Amino acid sequence: MQKTTYFINTSPNDTLSYKYINEEHVKETNLAGIIVIGCTIENSVLENIIFNLSDFDGTMLINCEFINGDWSRTDCCSLT
């Protein structure tokens, strides 16, 4: 599968639903309040990302790294 750019092109309070996210390396980005529903995130590195007040629901994480992010008040439900 080819590298995607969903997180790079996402802004705070956006919604990502039912996307296959692959090989993204995102650094120092504000993604506060995003909603991620039913996505598969694979082979990705998210470094210093602000995810506070976000919602991750029904999402699969495969071989990912989350480094030094802000996950305060984030709702994570049914993550695999």
Side-chain angles (χ1 to χ4, degrees):
M1 185 71 185
Q2 293 183 3
K3 182 177 178 177
T4 61
T5 58
Y6 291 112
F7 278 120
I8 294 168
N9 294 317
T10 299
S11 299
N13 301 310
D14 279 352
T15 299
L16 290 173
S17 57
Y18 304 101
K19 303 289 186 199
Y20 178 76
I21 299 164
N22 188 51
E23 294 183 11
E24 293 197 23
H25 191 141
V26 183
K27 290 183 178 182
E28 299 178 12
T29 302
N30 181 1
L31 296 178
I34 68 165
I35 299 169
V36 181
I37 300 171
C39 292
T40 298
I41 305 171
E42 189 167 2
N43 302 318
S44 296
V45 178
L46 301 170
E47 186 173 350
N48 295 319
I49 307 298
I50 298 170
F51 281 120
N52 68 319
L53 295 170
S54 295
D55 185 11
F56 284 76
D57 191 8
T59 295
M60 291 181 60
L61 306 172
I62 304 167
N63 195 31
C64 294
E65 287 185 65
F66 296 90
I67 303 167
N68 297 327
D70 179 1
W71 290 77
S72 60
R73 298 179 301 205
T74 296
D75 185 18
C76 297
C77 182
S78 299
L79 294 180
T80 305

